[in-house]
Amino acid sequence: MDMLTLIQVLDSTVRMATPLLLACLAGLFSERAGIFDIGLEGKMLMAAFFSAAVAAITGNVWLGLLSGIAASLALSGLHGLASITFRGNQLISGVALNFLASGLTVLIAQSWFQQGGRTPSLTETARFNGVELPFAIGPTEAAEAGRPLSQLIAEANVVQQVWSELISGHSILVYVSLLAVPLTWWVLFRTRFGLRLRAVGENPAAVDTAGISVVRLRFAAIAICGLLCGIAGAYLATGLQAGFVKEMTSGRGYIALAALIFAKWRPWHALSACLLFGLLQALALRFQSVQLGGVTLPVQLMDALPYILTVVILAGFVGKAIPPRAGGEPYVKER
Amino acid sequence: MEKMPKWADVVLIPVISLFLAAIISALVILFIGESPTEALTLMVNGALGSTYGWGYTLYYATNFLFTGLAVAIAAHAGLFNIGGEGQAMIGGLGLALVCLYIPFPHWTIALVVAALGAGLFGAAWAAIPAYLQAKRGSHIVITTIMFNFIAAAVLNYMLVNALKPKGAMDPATAKFPESTQLPSLSEMLAPLGIEFTNTPANVTLFVGIAACVLIWGLIWHTPLGHEIRALGKSERGAVYAGISPVRTVMITMLISGALCGLMAINNVMGEAERLVLNATEGAGFIGIAVALMGRNHPFGVFLAAILFGFLYQGGAELALWTNIPSELIVVIQALVILFTGALDHMVRMPLEKIFIAFRKENA
């Protein structure tokens, strides 16, 4: 593999890791507050559809993003209603939300656009296009030179290649997702809200005794979860790809869940886990199989690797993953 | 004293949940500009109006019987087996290997051996998450989800790299030999003088019903069933009574996985007669809705499986004749899971209040 190919694979890694990272941080907020969320997939899918649909109709990607977030928040609200207000089973609620999203998106897409459950292809302002950082070789430079972009990049030196291909040219949401990592760390570990949020996931009774509302804190946590899943879904449909197609999240919500466990519910580790899983996806996308020291790794192994790694971590053979203690249990206030 | 009579818990709550799911589905149909009453008529006619419709309804129901029973028996032990999809996929692989590589003189022998292969493979796929749950405390929901994806990758690899006949384009095995073909429902009913259109419904339906009876007996009339239910009610209580949680979790999940694997007799051996990539078609997940709806009782699972069989066949007819895609059924399935599972308290609490008020008046 030459240098340019490596840079391109890493560039693709960043793109593939972005929705994973956003969804992973979303799950982090929810699970740290004691609400298991296997509905990340459904929220992302719902957001992907509504962002693409509204962007296609209005031609404005920002309106699309807002609608995507709103749709994801609606599902979060339903999850909260079931698992916080009515103290239902959080896992079953998550499963239900995933199916709800998977069915509703196709149903509404068919009714609005009659294209077999997809939205029309998004163009120009209906999409999040790449942000050109200064000094980067981008489409404008290519147009000025009147030559294809790939050719210009191939001729540039390594520093320029890294800057133009790997760091510049991503959509704004990629940079947002990267900024969300320190922000999440700061909110969770350096603010009063974060302390309370973590406490409510470990020992809600103690938080309640201190006179703080468990219900309100948990709803706040799943609202943040909805917001982040909304951005993740919008990125999928309006940034990574140009429009919504049926089941376009294709298990990313579950990979994010795997990354969350892999990262043991910590923000910076979530970044590394998502980059690792993003790299696996990027490799699977580019190569049919990978040669590693004389052994051929089939593409299916790379598809399955995030899940296998997570099971190994869960099994506790390589550092045990211990979830927040009150996770999955509805809080019943003593009377 | 119980807050509600047993019949209300067993019958009323599922019926109310189903009713709520139906109302919301009707609203969804209205929202996309179609008529709910027309849709319902089409579904009933398409799924129950002919022996053709019934055949497909029963074929789908047979799939859901196995996965529903699998989720139900795990639920009795307090385990949520969300990995039915993967276990059914791997069960299909086991069945395909048996059917392809062992020559059988007659379908009856093929059925028994293939069922063994499918059940063993399904059980083996459930064994690892079960072991991790029992021994190392890894949450079984997460591990079984992960194993669904790993199963998909394994199946994909096996079909593309090993089992696909030379020169074939689509990732699927060769057609199974003729001696493994199971008799269809129409062939079985013909000697009785009953005319039944040829559909995928086959002898597996009766295997499924037998499984229902066996699981019912196992849960309520054997020491093992007692141990399973005791563990599900209270792990500490079970340990105090001398029940080994590790052993019970393992056995329960092996049975659950085997049941999912057995589904392959119906969809792989009975219908497709070869193993294709997407053979399970989400039936593993529908098992969750079926078990919840059927209140984890084998007879309830039987009724719920028929209901979902009706929904699937009806939904296919809808997609054929109207602008409503078959994904409507996924929405209904989601609503059923939501109301009978997650929002159970929402349905239950007002009902309990009504019953308590009623009782006070009578007292």
Side-chain angles (χ1 to χ4, degrees):
Chain A
M1 197 163 20
D2 62 295
M3 195 62 197
L4 184 58
T5 318
L6 180 69
I7 293 172
Q8 281 166 348
V9 167
L10 291 178
D11 169 62
S12 165
T13 300
V14 173
R15 288 172 206 273
M16 300 310 278
T18 296
L20 299 181
L21 181 58
L22 286 164
C24 186
L25 293 174
L28 184 75
F29 274 100
S30 181
E31 302 213 343
R32 276 286 187 158
I35 303 290
F36 279 159
D37 196 348
I38 53 178
L40 298 173
E41 175 89 357
K43 288 200 260 284
M44 272 163 87
L45 190 64
M46 203 71 151
F49 169 69
F50 277 98
S51 60
V54 171
I57 292 166
T58 61
N60 185 332
V61 71
W62 292 98
L63 285 179
L65 175 66
L66 284 180
S67 327
I69 292 173
S72 168
L73 278 175
L75 283 191
S76 268
L78 202 54
H79 190 51
L81 184 75
S83 57
I84 304 173
T85 312
F86 287 109
R87 301 196 289 271
N89 186 322
Q90 299 168 5
L91 299 166
I92 294 181
S93 167
V95 172
L97 292 188
N98 285 341
F99 286 126
L100 198 60
S102 139
L104 273 184
T105 47
V106 178
L107 221 56
I108 301 175
Q110 177 62 19
S111 158
W112 285 2
F113 304 105
Q114 274 98 31
Q115 295 188 5
R118 54 164 66 225
T119 61
S121 285
L122 303 175
T123 48
E124 296 298 313
T125 56
R127 267 195 83 185
F128 280 108
N129 295 306
V131 176
E132 294 295 319
L133 296 178
F135 311 116
I137 306 170
T140 20
E141 282 74 18
E144 270 170 28
R147 294 163 63 200
L149 179 59
S150 55
Q151 214 172 31
L152 282 184
I153 289 192
E155 285 165 5
N157 60 37
V158 174
V159 178
Q160 263 194 322
Q161 282 176 347
V162 169
W163 181 256
S164 310
E165 185 78 19
L166 180 58
I167 300 180
S168 169
H170 295 293
S171 93
I172 182 91
L173 296 183
V174 172
Y175 303 107
V176 167
S177 80
L178 291 172
L179 281 178
V181 177
L183 193 65
T184 302
W185 172 82
W186 183 76
V187 168
L188 277 178
F189 296 97
R190 286 295 179 270
T191 67
R192 184 188 292 183
F193 170 73
L195 177 66
R196 289 173 173 176
L197 191 132
R198 283 181 294 135
V200 93
E202 297 288 339
N203 190 346
V207 177
D208 202 16
T209 316
I212 303 156
S213 165
V214 172
V215 168
R216 197 177 302 165
L217 262 174
R218 286 191 162 171
F219 263 108
I222 59 165
I224 299 174
C225 171
L227 170 77
L228 289 170
C229 279
I231 303 176
Y235 173 72
L236 268 183
T238 61
L240 195 62
Q241 284 165 40
F244 172 87
V245 288
K246 193 162 139 176
E247 296 293 337
M248 77 179 302
T249 42
S250 57
R252 283 189 174 87
Y254 296 110
I255 299 187
L257 206 59
L260 182 59
I261 296 162
F262 206 72
K264 298 177 189 169
W265 295 269
R266 292 170 298 183
W268 286 105
H269 294 78
L271 175 63
S272 355
C274 289
L275 284 175
L276 172 66
F277 293 172
L279 174 67
L280 289 173
Q281 288 192 334
L283 285 174
L285 207 66
R286 190 173 173 110
F287 306 103
Q288 270 310 296
S289 56
V290 170
Q291 303 282 339
L292 201 75
V295 185
T296 313
L297 305 178
V299 65
Q300 293 94 344
L301 182 66
M302 278 181 294
D303 287 337
L305 214 48
Y307 308 110
I308 297 173
L309 288 175
T310 304
V311 171
V312 170
I313 287 281
L314 265 174
F317 296 121
V318 205
K320 194 152 180 60
I322 301 163
R325 200 167 350 136
E329 283 165 27
Y331 178 64
V332 184
K333 210 179 170 94
E334 266 185 274
R335 292 194 189 92
Chain B
M1 198 171 73
E2 294 280 317
K3 284 175 183 161
M4 281 194 300
K6 197 148 189 286
W7 65 266
D9 186 54
V10 174
V11 179
L12 212 52
I13 289 185
V15 168
I16 293 176
S17 301
L18 187 65
F19 185 65
L20 286 172
I23 290 180
I24 296 187
S25 312
L27 289 177
V28 170
I29 297 176
L30 272 182
F31 177 75
I32 60 172
E34 300 275 336
S35 153
T37 46
E38 258 175 53
L40 184 66
T41 324
L42 253 173
M43 283 176 79
V44 171
N45 282 341
L48 310 174
S50 61
T51 58
Y52 173 85
W54 268 105
Y56 271 93
T57 298
L58 289 175
Y59 163 70
Y60 289 123
T62 309
N63 282 341
F64 307 152
L65 256 182
F66 287 108
T67 55
L69 281 177
V71 176
I73 189 164
H76 276 287
L79 302 163
F80 183 13
N81 178 12
I82 197 170
E85 189 76 4
Q87 289 146 19
M89 279 182 207
I90 300 298
L93 187 61
L95 180 130
L97 293 176
V98 167
C99 287
L100 284 172
Y101 295 115
I102 303 178
F104 289 105
H106 193 256
W107 67 265
T108 45
I109 306 166
L111 176 62
V112 174
V113 181
L116 269 176
L120 272 178
F121 269 60
W125 202 248
I128 307 166
Y131 175 82
L132 293 176
Q133 166 80 47
K135 277 281 190 192
R136 312 206 56 110
S138 327
H139 205 303
I140 199 151
V141 171
I142 306 292
T143 44
T144 46
I145 290 177
M146 302 298 144
F147 266 72
N148 282 340
F149 287 100
I150 302 173
V154 168
L155 187 63
N156 190 312
Y157 179 81
M158 287 301 288
L159 285 179
V160 173
N161 299 45
L163 295 173
K164 190 175 73 173
K166 277 204 177 72
M169 288 304 287
D170 53 335
T173 66
K175 207 161 167 60
F176 298 157
E178 214 154 288
S179 59
T180 65
Q181 282 176 14
L182 298 178
S184 72
L185 205 56
S186 67
E187 283 164 14
M188 293 175 71
L189 291 175
L192 303 174
I194 303 170
E195 253 186 67
F196 200 91
T197 321
N198 196 16
T199 60
N202 59 76
V203 63
T204 318
L205 172 65
F206 302 102
V207 181
I209 294 172
C212 273
V213 177
L214 282 177
I215 295 295
W216 171 80
L218 174 78
I219 294 177
W220 278 284
H221 295 281
T222 65
L224 176 65
H226 180 257
E227 286 174 16
I228 290 173
R229 284 180 295 132
L231 181 72
K233 282 266 191 291
S234 157
E235 180 164 345
R236 282 172 67 183
V239 170
Y240 189 72
I243 296 164
S244 156
V246 172
R247 180 174 163 270
T248 314
V249 165
M250 283 304 293
I251 294 179
T252 312
M253 281 303 290
L254 288 178
I255 298 173
S256 181
L259 282 167
C260 285
L262 283 180
M263 186 190 104
I265 315 173
N266 192 45
N267 67 337
V268 180
M269 194 175 176
E271 198 252 345
E273 290 168 357
R274 60 179 190 148
L275 184 62
V276 296
L277 204 51
N278 185 24
T280 48
E281 292 179 312
F285 296 116
I286 298 157
I288 300 168
V290 168
L292 281 169
M293 187 80 205
R295 283 289 180 258
N296 295 328
H297 189 289
F299 185 64
V301 166
F302 174 74
L303 292 181
I306 302 232
L307 173 75
F308 272 89
F310 154 73
L311 285 175
Y312 266 75
Q313 171 53 17
E317 290 283 318
L318 266 190
L320 206 59
W321 302 112
T322 68
N323 194 21
I324 307 175
S326 58
E327 273 78 6
L328 173 69
I329 306 311
V330 182
V331 175
I332 299 178
Q333 177 190 339
L335 293 169
V336 167
I337 297 178
L338 195 65
F339 285 115
T340 54
L343 287 173
D344 187 58
H345 284 282
M346 188 184 85
V347 182
R348 189 179 292 269
M349 279 196 287
L351 210 62
E352 283 179 351
K353 274 185 192 147
I354 293 171
F355 270 100
I356 289 171
F358 198 65
R359 206 173 283 159
K360 271 182 193 155
E361 247 170 56
N362 280 354

